[in-house]
Amino acid sequence: MPPGVSAATLPYMRHVPPPAEELALLDHELARLDARRLQLLSRRAWLLGVLRAPAAPPPPPPAPFPRPYAQAAPAPVHAPARGAQNVLLVLGGLLLAVAAIAFTLFSWGEMGIAGRSAVLAVVTAGALVAPALLLGRGLPSTAEAVAVLALVLTVLDAIALHAVAAPGTDGLAFSAVASAVLVAVWTLYGLLLGRLRSPLPAAVVAGQFPLVFTAWAVEASATGFAWALLVTAAADVVVASWGRGPAVRVTAYTGAVLTGLISLALALVLSVSADGVYGAVGPGALLLAGAVVAVAGAWRAPAPTAVLGGVVGGLAAVAAVGGVPGAELPWHWAVLVYLLCGAALSAVVRFRVPRHVARGVLGASASVVAAAVLWAAPVVAAALLGPASVPAGVWSGAPGGLRDAVGPAVPWSGSASAPVVLMVAAGLTAALHVRWPQALPEKGWRIAAAAGTAVLGWGAVLALLAVADAPYAVAVGVELLLVAVVTALSVRRAADALAVTSVVCALVGALGVGLLGLAAEPATHAVSVTLALLFAAAAATARVPAVRSVLACAAVLCAIAVPCAVGASLGWGAPHTAPLVLLVTAATVFVGARLREPAVALPVELAGAFAAVFALGLSVTDAPFLALVLGLCGVLASATALRPERRSVAGGLAAALFVAAAWVRLAASGVTDPEAYTLPVSVAAFAVGHVRRRRNPATSSWVAYGPALAMTMAPSLLVAWGDPHWLRPLLLGVAALAVTLAGARLRLQAPLVLGGSVLALDGLHELAPHVVQVFDALPRWAPPALAGLLLLAVGATYEQRLRDARRVRESFGRMR
């Protein structure tokens, strides 16, 4: 015991075991948990065996509290044996059913009327009585198989009865009566022998046919067939709600879904194709009755079935109520009627309806609203992107109205209700945002409803401009105002769905108004300047960095259009306009250096780089201006390289741009001896690089010597390839050899790679004619044979070549 520690405090100290002892305790506890899990699994298996064989005397249960570390022996499970027994019984019943059918169809004529009736009656009676005796002896599976055979025999009895007793009766009418009798017989049989599982579901299946056969027999109309199916579905709903056993309920639910959907589909077709209001009343009543049946079936159903019933009931109610007035209206106004009916379904939250049914009805309402919005979406798309399809050229003159600027993208006469549809949908989503139903989980859906309101309201205004054929100036001004509104909405929001939606709407709206402004020169200048300033101001005041970066990039992209429009107004060509575009890149270099957030500065500079690439594309057709643009880009890259965090990328890029500018300038000037211009610059650049490496030995040779070497060697190589004389290639080869040897001696990557590449290409140029002659002299089989031998040699020494390549790569990686 350490000195100064009282013995009385030892019992109150908390013992902290060392890691090894604690690990042993954890292993001990895990082993105990595994033993307990094995015990529970064994008990579960024993209980399953007891439930599957209720007639057999249960074996004694295992000990309730076995030892913690003893391996509990699993109780015998009779699932495999009972599975084999069920297979044998099913096969036996199937064979008997096949035999009975064969006897009825093929051996019927060999016996008289009395014999045939006696045989079927005796066999059917015996098959119906046998399950009761088998159940009394504790053989439920065998009784089930015999009961299925008895059901099949009753069907055969009905067929035989029609063939013998009533051969002249209408087959459809007799089938309707026979199916109804079979339903009653099988239901009574299943209720008397309650332990059998097949008679009651079979009665439900047979119950799908009496009314259908009856409608078919009386040659009912499509409405009559639909009513027969709907009444059948209603009966299925009653059975599914109050039937005995899960098998009966599942079968009844399945029948209700099939017959109900077929009935509602027929009613919907009749409602849509009705000639007038009076013609739509009958299908509407059928649809309304179908909605009542669907909701009634969903009232006591499980959650998925209840949601499905609510959806079907809601859609049927919308089709029923909206189809009557919609039959007298044009289709584009009928869409509005259906939308209003769908919006009225949202009132279900004010009634005491089961939660899952209410969700289904609200889902139906959302489906109707979504379908109406999709119908109106082409009008909005035409208002935004239609100007791109107008065959008239840029600055062809301000059109009289928006439709002239958009073109015949949609049939405007059939789209008059599109703005109203979008406004109603926006009002509905706004109401959901203000008073979110308590029957629905929120979980961000309230914000989603607000975002939907913003999108739908924005689209409604665009559709209204197009449908009303607003004047061109008014349309441009209103669309700019819309972009400003949705941009302002995204500035003060957090990073939620509403902010993202507002930004997307602002970008898409900017694209649309930009295309619209191309029709007139003043509109192009006004739109491009306004959008650039608007996005720049919004980026400066936005709260979320992601929103700031997106809006800043949008400002840069819109600003590119400003110098392009100015150059076009001055009558300049694309190459002469390219230096003006670089003013945007210069602005991004300045702004990127002032911004303190890397998440915003980097996207802005990348957008400026895109502007520089766009300027290069404009000047590519004029070599002198291309050289000028390359040089200006090199200056901007050098300015960016002054910042330490951009130096590694911008420094090399600036050197490459300067070298490319020199090459292009020499080529544009028709210089045949570029060494006289490039060699002094290379010497100066080489001296600068050498001084830098002496001050900072960690500097890469590509940064220090790469631009200086490439400045002279690359143009010389290009000229040497077209030089028919021998002096230039010889001097270039000697210089490249010296550079390669110096790079290998000093272990520098740039001289080694550049010198070796130039030396190889120069040598290939000199040997190319001789190689061609040799290949012409060789027979045609020689090159493939040589290639094959080379591949065999490489394959035989593959591992050695791989090790050599790995050593070369490692030694190359150690160079600077």
Side-chain angles (χ1 to χ4, degrees):
M1 180 187 303
V5 178
S6 174
T9 63
L10 291 177
Y12 302 97
M13 289 184 178
R14 182 179 180 183
H15 175 63
V16 179
E21 183 179 353
E22 186 176 1
L23 181 61
L25 291 174
L26 291 177
D27 291 339
H28 184 78
E29 185 68 15
L30 290 174
R32 190 182 68 81
L33 291 175
D34 289 340
R36 178 59 177 168
R37 182 174 181 274
L38 288 175
Q39 174 200 354
L40 295 176
L41 289 176
S42 175
R43 180 68 179 178
R44 181 179 180 275
W46 178 82
L47 291 173
L48 286 176
V50 171
L51 292 176
R52 288 173 180 171
F65 299 102
R67 288 177 297 174
Y69 302 104
Q71 295 292 333
V77 180
H78 303 286
R82 295 186 61 82
Q85 177 189 6
N86 292 333
V87 170
L88 293 176
L89 290 173
V90 169
L91 289 177
L94 181 61
L95 291 175
L96 288 175
V98 171
I101 295 172
F103 170 77
T104 304
L105 296 179
F106 303 109
S107 299
W108 188 256
E110 300 177 2
M111 302 178 66
I113 297 178
R116 287 177 285 186
S117 302
V119 169
L120 277 179
V122 170
V123 173
T124 304
L128 290 173
V129 174
L133 301 176
L134 293 172
L135 288 174
R137 294 181 174 273
L139 299 173
S141 298
T142 309
E144 197 73 45
V146 176
V148 172
L149 176 62
L151 300 180
V152 175
L153 289 175
T154 55
V155 177
L156 297 177
D157 284 335
I159 297 174
L161 181 63
H162 177 263
V164 175
T169 308
D170 184 14
L172 292 175
F174 185 86
S175 299
V177 176
S179 57
V181 172
L182 288 177
V183 170
V185 171
W186 291 354
T187 302
L188 180 61
Y189 188 67
L191 293 176
L192 292 176
L193 301 179
R195 294 175 61 184
L196 294 178
R197 292 174 292 180
S198 55
L200 291 179
V204 173
V205 174
Q208 312 304 310
F209 301 104
L211 292 178
V212 176
F213 282 145
T214 302
W216 196 355
V218 299
E219 297 181 354
S221 62
T223 306
F225 267 103
W227 276 108
L229 290 169
L230 184 60
V231 173
T232 304
D236 289 332
V237 166
V238 173
V239 175
S241 301
W242 287 278
R244 177 189 296 179
V248 174
R249 293 186 177 182
V250 170
T251 307
Y253 272 125
T254 305
V257 170
L258 293 177
T259 55
L261 289 181
I262 296 174
S263 172
L264 292 177
L266 287 174
L268 181 61
V269 172
L270 293 172
S271 176
V272 173
S273 59
D275 295 333
V277 174
Y278 294 104
V281 171
L286 180 59
L287 286 168
L288 197 59
V292 173
V293 171
V295 174
W299 204 270
R300 298 182 58 184
T305 308
V307 173
L308 177 62
V311 171
V312 173
L315 293 177
V318 170
V321 178
V324 175
E328 288 289 344
L329 297 174
W331 173 244
H332 58 279
W333 290 111
V335 171
L336 180 60
V337 173
Y338 285 117
L339 174 61
L340 294 174
C341 295
L345 289 180
S346 59
V348 71
V349 297
R350 297 184 175 275
F351 301 97
R352 302 185 64 179
V353 179
R355 186 181 184 88
H356 298 295
V357 178
R359 287 185 181 180
V361 175
L362 290 177
S365 175
S367 301
V368 174
V369 174
V373 170
L374 288 177
W375 173 82
V379 179
V380 181
L384 288 172
L385 305 178
S389 62
V390 176
V394 177
W395 292 1
S396 58
L402 182 58
R403 291 187 188 178
D404 295 334
V406 170
V410 293
W412 299 108
S413 59
S415 305
S417 64
V420 184
V421 167
L422 293 173
M423 289 178 185
V424 171
L428 182 60
T429 53
L432 286 176
H433 172 67
V434 174
R435 301 192 63 179
W436 187 259
Q438 298 297 325
L440 296 177
E442 187 168 334
K443 293 183 180 179
W445 289 100
R446 186 187 296 271
I447 302 299
T453 303
V455 174
L456 293 172
W458 170 71
V461 176
L462 291 175
L464 181 61
L465 292 174
V467 170
D469 195 15
Y472 178 74
V474 174
V476 172
V478 173
E479 290 194 20
L480 282 175
L481 181 61
L482 279 178
V483 174
V485 170
V486 293
T487 303
L489 188 62
S490 66
V491 165
R492 294 300 177 184
R493 295 289 305 180
D496 54 10
L498 181 56
V500 174
T501 304
S502 301
V503 170
V504 173
C505 290
L507 298 179
V508 176
L511 175 62
V513 72
L515 293 175
L516 185 62
L518 292 177
E521 181 178 356
T524 302
H525 289 287
V527 168
S528 57
V529 173
T530 303
L531 290 178
L533 294 177
L534 174 64
F535 285 137
T541 57
R543 296 171 53 188
V544 182
V547 174
R548 271 202 303 275
S549 62
V550 172
L551 293 177
C553 292
V556 174
L557 296 179
C558 293
I560 294 175
V562 177
C564 293
V566 171
S569 297
L570 295 175
W572 293 355
H576 296 76
T577 308
L580 290 180
V581 178
L582 289 181
L583 294 175
V584 178
T585 306
T588 59
V589 171
F590 175 76
V591 173
R594 299 293 299 271
L595 291 175
R596 301 187 181 276
E597 290 181 296
V600 181
L602 181 60
V604 169
E605 291 176 293
L606 291 177
F610 173 78
V613 174
F614 183 75
L616 291 174
L618 292 177
S619 61
V620 73
T621 58
D622 192 326
F625 271 94
L626 178 60
L628 174 62
V629 172
L630 285 170
L632 293 176
C633 290
V635 172
L636 295 176
S638 300
T640 306
L642 296 176
R643 298 161 56 190
E645 68 275 12
R646 300 284 188 265
R647 186 168 299 161
S648 60
V649 176
L653 181 61
L657 288 171
F658 282 132
V659 171
W663 293 347
V664 173
R665 182 67 261 181
L666 292 175
S669 301
V671 175
T672 57
D673 297 323
E675 294 83 2
Y677 300 92
T678 60
L679 191 58
V681 179
S682 295
V683 171
F686 193 87
V688 173
H690 181 66
V691 171
R692 181 175 179 181
R693 272 190 60 83
R694 289 190 62 183
R695 292 182 177 179
N696 185 12
T699 304
S700 173
S701 61
W702 289 100
V703 177
Y705 306 127
L709 295 173
M711 176 70 70
T712 298
M713 297 180 73
S716 298
L717 179 63
L718 292 177
V719 176
W721 268 79
D723 194 346
H725 303 289
W726 59 271
L727 182 59
R728 185 188 302 275
L730 176 62
L731 295 176
L732 179 61
V734 171
L737 178 61
V739 171
T740 303
L741 294 176
R745 176 68 179 81
L746 300 176
R747 305 182 67 80
L748 299 175
Q749 283 186 8
L752 180 62
V753 173
L754 291 176
S757 301
V758 172
L759 181 61
L761 293 175
D762 186 64
L764 180 63
H765 171 263
E766 295 301 312
L767 293 177
H770 305 289
V771 172
V772 171
Q773 293 178 1
V774 170
F775 272 91
D776 288 340
L778 288 176
R780 293 183 179 273
W781 57 266
L786 293 175
L789 291 175
L790 179 62
L791 291 177
L792 288 176
V794 173
T797 58
Y798 177 75
E799 294 295 335
Q800 181 62 36
R801 301 287 79 79
L802 192 62
R803 288 193 293 269
D804 295 342
R806 189 179 295 112
R807 284 197 295 268
V808 170
R809 185 184 63 185
E810 292 174 355
S811 61
F812 185 77
R814 288 193 293 268
M815 294 182 179
R816 298 300 302 169

